[in-house]
Structure formats: C-alpha cells, structure tokens
Amino acid sequence: MKRIFVAIGLAATIGLTGYKLLDNKEKVAAKVYKPEVNLKVGVRTAKAEVRDLSQESQFLGSFAANREIEIRPQAGGEIVQLPIVEGQMVGAGKLVAKIDDDQLRFQIEALQISIEGYQNDLKRYEALVKGDATPAVNIEKTQLNIRSTQAQIKQLQKQLSQTTITAPFSGIVTTKMVEKGSVVSPGTPLAKVTDISSLKLVVQVPEKAVNQFKMGQMISVKTEVYPDIDFKGRVSLIGAQGDAAHNYPVEITVLNTAAHQLRAGMYGSIANTSELKGQTLSVPRQAIVGSTKQAQVYVVEDGKAVLRDVKIGATTNDYYEITSGIQAGEQVVVSGQINLQNGTPVVAQ
C-alpha cells in the first residue's frame, strides 16, 4: 500500500515538473523577438559600373646622399694646413689637409746630390776605361748606383704627393675630425665629404608591387619640405633580394637644385599608379560578403535584397572586378548586410 502511494506521488511530481517546463518554454518563446516580415531594412547601395581599374600606391622613404666618403691620408705626420670648416662646399681636387713634408724633401735633395756625384764618377771612369787605366766593371757599378738612387727618389716623391690630401669629388664637408697641428698616422679619418648634387630616395616596396617599377622609369617625388613641388626622379636600382617581410628596396635618383635644395635624411614619397584592367565591371569592396573565393553580394530586386554568388577578378584598394554573377547597372548593397537575409525587404537610405 505504501509503495502505491509513493508511486502515485512520484508520478504527480514528474507530471507537475513537465507542466512547469512546458509553461516556461511557452513564456520564453513568447518573449523571443520575431521580426516583422514586411518591415523594410535600411541599407546603402551602389551601382555596379564599368570603370577603369587602376591603383595608386604610396611609398615613403628617406633621401640618401649620392656619394659620401671619409677622407683618410696615406701618409703620417703633423697637419700643417687644414683649410676646411664644417658645412663648407669643396670642389673636386680642393685642398683638404697638408701634412708636414720637410723630411721627405730633405731626403730627396740628398739623393739628388748623390746622383750628381755618381754622374761625375761615371764620366771619369769612361775616360779611364778608354786608356785601359780602370776596368769597365766600375762603369757598370756606377750606372747601377744611379738607377737605384733614381728609384729611391721616385718612391719618396710618391710619399711626398701623399702629404697633400684633396677632395675626390665636389661636396659638403659634413664632419671635420682633426685640427691643425694634430699628428696623424696613415688611415686616420680627417673629414667626411658628402655629395648632394643628386640624392637617392630609397623606398621599401612590397612583393606584390615591385614589378610595377622598371629601371630608368621616370617618377614624381613629393617631399614634406616642399609639398607643392613635384621633383622628377629616375628609378636607378631595384633590389634583387627582399627582407624578411618580403619588401624590396627601390632607389630613385633625384637631381638636386639650388632653388629647392634637398638634404640627405629628409623624407620623400612616391605615388605609383598601375592600371590593373581596362574597362571592366566592378563594385565597391564593401559590397562583398563572405570570402573572396566564395564571394557573394546582395542585389536589390523589387525592393528585396537577393543574395547572389559572384566571381572576383582584379582588386584595388576600393573596388573588386566582377567577372560573373551580376550585370552593369544593378544596385548592390554596400552597408547594412549584417541585418539581411536572402529576400529581406529593404529601402535605400
């Protein structure tokens, strides 16, 4: 009897719980938002049009000097002349420094006197040999002494020329590292000369754009210093090896001018426009939903957003080429797709 009451109580409990759950489900379902079937969703649209697809790429870099060199002497000694100051313009062959050369001149003078003595000895030996008063070997020895001394003089004259240090090319003295009276050894840096008669703008170009540049190509260069002036540049180098990010150095040589002088280290930029296609059907990038491999667009038909599969061709920063799926003149949704499903009523805003 007791078991019967327990079974009846358990069944009642289960029935009550089931009723409660069903009642809660109906209440929750009643609270769930159900969109109005005829409510129109506001969207922005654009027309699918045939246009020229081209892309302008901006690349920023900094100017580097055409040439720059640290001037180092091949001779050592005390600097007796240093007629340069930082910021000075020096021409090719202009004196940069002079090293004391007195000892070399004294040695050359002594050797020249020795040659005079050998030449006098040679004349005497030649006269004595004719009278058989001395062997002919003395003439040969004297001639060898003259040649050896002449070789020593040439070596000293070479060293003498190395005491005069000149600028190898025209440029600006950007650094002076010694002063007059300094004692230097061969290879000591004296000054740095920088040639900015032309400058090299070096920009890093990504892999997908590097083939847009050709050697010798003329290109416009803009600067922050002279924003309203277009400087004419020429592509002088295209890097053969990229960095870890697959960027390649492209060098544009720009002729400097006195009126608008550029300096090494300044920023410059180039804009390279590449035509990807001719006249081709395209839509704004914002119209594409899904991935580029399975691209779709919402097309407005009879007041409804109809989802269509499309195929994509070339791309720019702003547009996608559409090779199939829609026709020119159709309106595509470019904003508000998150609120759409296939067949949703829409109104263009």
Side-chain angles (χ1 to χ4, degrees):
M1 192 66 168
K2 185 177 181 180
R3 291 180 179 177
I4 294 175
F5 286 133
V6 171
I8 293 173
L10 182 60
T13 301
I14 294 173
L16 183 61
T17 301
Y19 173 77
K20 189 65 175 177
L21 290 174
L22 182 61
D23 184 57
N24 289 341
K25 181 178 179 181
E26 291 175 353
K27 290 180 179 180
V28 170
K31 293 179 180 180
V32 173
Y33 171 73
K34 295 181 180 179
E36 176 64 39
V37 176
N38 296 321
L39 182 64
K40 294 185 177 182
V41 177
V43 296
R44 286 196 302 110
T45 62
K47 186 183 294 185
E49 294 180 318
V50 175
R51 57 171 55 84
D52 286 324
L53 283 192
S54 63
Q55 179 168 305
E56 184 177 81
S57 302
Q58 293 280 346
F59 302 105
L60 178 67
S62 59
F63 288 102
N66 179 42
R67 293 179 291 181
E68 188 174 61
I69 190 173
E70 274 189 354
I71 298 178
R72 300 169 182 259
Q74 293 180 295
E78 180 185 355
I79 296 178
V80 294
Q81 294 183 50
L82 193 68
I84 58 170
V85 295
E86 290 187 358
Q88 175 186 350
M89 183 71 186
V90 294
K94 173 74 174 180
L95 179 67
V96 173
K98 176 66 177 176
I99 295 175
D100 182 19
D101 59 4
D102 287 347
Q103 290 298 325
L104 292 172
R105 293 184 183 277
F106 296 153
Q107 293 178 50
I108 291 173
E109 185 178 356
L111 291 173
Q112 288 173 338
I113 293 172
S114 297
I115 288 178
E116 290 180 8
Y118 289 138
Q119 289 173 340
N120 292 334
D121 290 342
L122 182 60
K123 291 178 182 179
R124 287 192 293 268
Y125 286 139
E126 287 174 344
L128 292 172
V129 167
K130 289 179 180 179
D132 294 329
T134 187
V137 69
N138 288 329
I139 293 178
E140 295 178 4
K141 288 181 179 179
T142 304
Q143 289 174 335
L144 290 174
N145 287 334
I146 292 173
R147 291 172 59 189
S148 175
T149 306
Q150 288 173 337
Q152 293 179 54
I153 290 175
K154 289 180 179 179
Q155 185 177 11
L156 290 172
Q157 287 174 336
K158 175 67 174 177
Q159 295 177 18
L160 182 65
S161 68
Q162 292 172 347
T163 62
T164 301
I165 299 99
T166 58
F169 51 78
S170 298
I172 296 174
V173 179
T174 50
T175 309
K176 187 176 74 170
M177 304 170 185
V178 294
E179 296 294 339
K180 181 180 178 180
S182 301
V183 178
V184 298
S185 58
T188 301
L190 303 182
K192 183 180 291 185
V193 175
T194 304
D195 175 16
I196 59 169
S197 58
S198 61
L199 294 169
K200 299 174 181 177
L201 177 65
V202 181
V203 297
Q204 298 296 323
V205 178
E207 178 181 359
K208 65 180 182 179
V210 71
N211 287 335
Q212 298 173 13
F213 296 88
K214 305 297 180 185
M215 289 294 295
Q217 173 186 350
M218 300 303 295
I219 196 164
S220 178
V221 177
K222 302 286 287 186
T223 65
E224 293 184 355
V225 181
Y226 307 108
D228 298 327
I229 298 174
D230 286 335
F231 292 89
K232 299 302 180 183
R234 179 178 56 83
V235 176
S236 53
L237 182 145
I238 300 174
Q241 182 173 356
D243 58 18
H246 297 275
N247 292 322
Y248 292 79
V250 174
E251 179 181 280
I252 297 94
T253 299
V254 179
L255 186 65
N256 215 348
T257 63
H260 304 100
Q261 192 173 54
L262 301 172
R263 298 184 182 275
M266 288 181 174
Y267 286 114
S269 64
I270 60 173
N272 194 50
T273 302
S274 60
E275 185 174 303
L276 303 179
K277 290 279 185 179
Q279 293 283 324
T280 185
L281 180 64
S282 59
V283 298
R285 294 178 67 94
Q286 299 89 338
I288 301 298
V289 295
S291 66
T292 54
K293 291 183 178 180
Q294 295 179 333
Q296 295 177 309
V297 296
Y298 281 105
V299 179
V300 177
E301 292 182 1
D302 299 327
K304 294 183 179 181
V306 178
L307 190 60
R308 289 197 202 166
D309 294 329
V310 294
K311 290 185 179 180
I312 292 175
T315 65
T316 70
N317 292 333
D318 300 315
Y319 294 96
Y320 278 119
E321 177 195 12
I322 303 299
T323 59
S324 67
I326 60 175
Q327 301 296 322
E330 291 188 295
Q331 294 289 331
V332 295
V333 178
V334 295
S335 178
Q337 295 97 321
I338 192 172
N339 299 317
L340 300 181
Q341 294 180 350
N342 190 21
T344 301
V346 293
V347 59
Q349 295 180 338

